[in-house]
Amino acid sequence: MGVFSYRKFRKGTIRDRRDVISQGSGKDFAATGRDEDLLDLSEVMIEQAVGYFGVPLGVAGPLPVDGKKIMIPMATEEPSVIAAVTFAGSLFSSSGGITTRASDPVMVAQIFIEDVGEPGAICVEKVFESRDIIRKRLKPILETMEERGGGWRNMDARWIAPSRTLAVNLQIDVRDAMGANLLNSAAEEIRPLLEEITGGRVLMAILSNRSWNRTASARLSIPVKVLGHNGFNGKDTARRIVRASRVAREDPDRGVTHNKGIMNGISALALATGNDCRAIEAAAHAYAGRYGPYHGLSEYWIEGDVLQGSLEMPLPFAVTGGAVGFHPASRWSLEILGNPDARGLSRIAAALGLAQNLAALRALVSEGIQSGHMGLHARRLAYAAGARGDEIPLFSTVIRNDDIRGKEEAARRFSEWRLK
Ligand code: MEV
């Protein structure tokens, strides 16, 4: 970037940083955002902001969830993800549907203590005996959450023998929040108290993203006949979906891809609602390895002439705090969803993950997934060739009809097409 003032870059405003980059590199910022409000928003959301990245936002559906047809906002860069959910929703148009449940939104904060004066088991005992004092010390921090029906739920302690470290886990119901701030504050608040109780020194205090106490599940039923299409028999397709889900549970290589498909939906909803996608992803994959070998998160089986499917996983979605409800696009997405509470949103996420998975498996065990990508591929090629607005669908039809493949050929043909 040529001569560059790192100080100015760090300390300046977003506009200063954009100036520094464009003076040093000659690059303009058209691709990284021009809306002044959104530039200010970027500036207050992260450090060293220079712009914002426009990930496409779509609305999938309708998907029948718990007796209601819902439309689901999804932010994703991947083609076919939204189409797959809408397609899965259409499979339920005559019968069947998805039902969901969610646990209470309980998260865990961890405090690790080293150099404890006494054997681990005795320290564990001492921490348990001090439970009421610990709870009392946390009262001021948890007060507002307790007024909302959340707050303290439980506490446990464990000696990690190999690293000679004591782990104290606080279980806190965080209601509609993701909970990171509250949990981290609670964990830090009791550092001195725990040092006093154990005679040790706190190594670190932070929430756990494992989120095993914050799960949601979805269940679907669909008549097997609905799965038949293009010469593929419905019953056989259902049987193959069941086998594909078993393979994902028995072969970790396949399990990861299977779960990646589930997360295509869930992460897109997380991004659209401003949720912490990394936390949700981390919890999902940890859950997939909870019995030892990594495995697919969903399961399918056949009862009579009906395909049944289920998915259960941690879904630590929030509807307030952090970027959620602060970013205008997140507020918009929550409104489209009818402003659910956090448990409601995690139930929608579970239904979405299962629908996404059903659509992927159905395609994989029948015609494959590539044919479904061709339409969007042609539209991208048309865009890359220079088509804009109404030209995009028109020229992508030309691309498909004439089997135009490369970018160069598309660009050349686009110039000729435009002249006609
Ligand atoms: C692609 O993004 C997702 C799939 O690979 C999921 C799967 O294989 O189940 C199609």
Side-chain angles (χ1 to χ4, degrees):
M1 283 195 282
V3 184
F4 188 83
S5 161
Y6 288 104
R7 195 182 148 69
K8 183 171 176 198
F9 192 79
R10 253 198 347 267
K11 301 276 175 206
T13 65
I14 188 165
R15 278 127 192 128
D16 295 334
R17 277 180 227 113
R18 286 161 80 89
D19 285 348
V20 169
I21 292 186
S22 44
Q23 279 159 22
S25 66
K27 286 210 177 305
D28 83 21
F29 275 84
T32 62
R34 284 194 260 216
D35 182 293
E36 296 294 326
D37 279 349
L38 290 180
L39 289 177
D40 287 337
L41 189 70
S42 302
E43 177 82 322
V44 298
M45 285 185 73
I46 63 163
E47 302 77 25
Q48 296 188 208
V50 297
Y52 52 91
F53 190 100
V55 178
L57 175 68
V59 177
L63 191 67
V65 181
D66 297 321
K68 281 194 212 137
K69 292 199 167 179
I70 57 169
M71 301 298 291
I72 308 178
M74 297 171 73
T76 180
E77 89 303 340
E78 184 170 333
S80 304
V81 163
I82 291 178
V85 177
T86 302
F87 171 75
S90 73
L91 291 176
F92 297 105
S93 58
S94 52
S95 65
I98 305 182
T99 53
T100 64
R101 302 165 73 136
S103 71
D104 279 337
V106 177
M107 297 286 288
V108 166
Q110 299 193 285
I111 305 100
F112 296 94
I113 308 155
E114 62 176 353
D115 297 338
V116 291
E118 285 166 294
I122 296 183
C123 284
V124 167
E125 198 59 33
K126 279 184 162 178
V127 170
F128 272 114
E129 278 166 8
S130 314
R131 204 185 129 91
D132 290 342
I133 307 170
I134 295 172
R135 186 170 179 181
K136 206 163 158 206
R137 184 68 61 89
L138 286 172
K139 213 161 177 39
I141 284 199
L142 297 183
E143 201 162 20
T144 315
M145 193 52 83
E146 298 206 331
E147 278 162 18
R148 293 190 201 132
W152 173 277
R153 287 295 176 266
N154 210 342
M155 191 198 84
D156 64 73
R158 183 166 54 90
W159 177 241
I160 311 172
S163 55
R164 303 195 51 74
T165 309
L166 180 71
V168 178
N169 285 4
L170 307 174
Q171 291 178 25
I172 295 171
D173 184 322
V174 296
R175 294 286 95 189
D176 282 334
M178 189 267 185
N181 277 334
L182 182 70
L183 269 88
N184 294 340
S185 306
E188 288 187 5
E189 175 68 21
I190 54 166
R191 285 175 78 130
L193 177 60
L194 286 174
E195 287 183 342
E196 214 178 283
I197 295 167
T198 61
R201 194 169 152 224
V202 169
L203 177 69
M204 56 186 169
I206 185 78
L207 91 161
S208 165
N209 285 117
R210 203 174 179 194
S211 312
W212 281 28
N213 298 317
R214 197 173 184 179
T215 57
S217 60
R219 176 88 199 261
L220 66 76
S221 320
I222 193 158
V224 295
K225 64 174 189 296
V226 173
L227 297 164
H229 63 291
N230 293 348
F232 292 99
N233 168 284
K235 199 166 183 174
D236 194 45
T237 304
R239 183 193 61 74
R240 285 160 64 83
I241 289 174
V242 172
R243 174 157 299 184
S245 77
R246 274 199 64 178
V247 170
R249 292 183 87 79
E250 289 162 8
D251 175 45
D253 287 347
R254 172 59 203 153
V256 174
T257 320
H258 181 98
N259 291 343
K260 188 271 182 186
I262 292 171
M263 297 314 289
N264 273 347
I266 293 171
S267 299
L269 174 63
L271 194 56
T273 52
N275 268 280
D276 184 338
C277 302
R278 285 90 49 218
I280 294 167
E281 295 268 352
H285 295 296
Y287 205 67
R290 70 192 184 284
Y291 299 134
Y294 186 99
H295 66 271
L297 286 164
S298 64
E299 244 182 319
Y300 292 84
W301 66 100
I302 295 172
E303 282 174 18
D305 280 337
V306 179
L307 176 71
Q308 309 280 351
S310 76
L311 170 70
E312 183 200 70
M313 58 189 287
L315 284 162
F317 272 79
V319 294
T320 177
V324 186
F326 176 70
H327 194 292
S330 151
R331 274 204 308 278
W332 184 91
S333 294
L334 290 170
E335 272 163 31
I336 292 273
L337 290 165
N339 289 318
D341 62 9
R343 289 178 65 227
L345 185 55
S346 69
R347 290 168 63 167
I348 291 170
L352 177 61
L354 188 57
Q356 195 83 59
N357 180 238
L358 173 70
L361 293 185
R362 176 190 167 276
L364 286 169
V365 302
S366 50
E367 72 273 18
I369 58 158
Q370 285 308 98
S371 61
H373 289 321
M374 294 327 284
L376 266 181
H377 177 70
R379 280 161 59 185
R380 282 183 178 204
L381 204 54
Y383 181 89
R388 294 291 181 270
D390 293 349
E391 292 171 344
I392 296 174
L394 294 174
F395 188 61
S396 61
T397 308
V398 176
I399 288 178
R400 294 192 75 175
N401 290 345
D402 295 0
D403 197 22
I404 297 171
R405 284 160 188 242
K407 276 191 190 161
E408 277 170 22
E409 192 192 349
R412 185 175 50 73
R413 292 285 302 277
F414 178 65
S415 313
E416 291 165 12
W417 178 82
R418 218 181 207 175
L419 287 175
K420 280 189 200 161

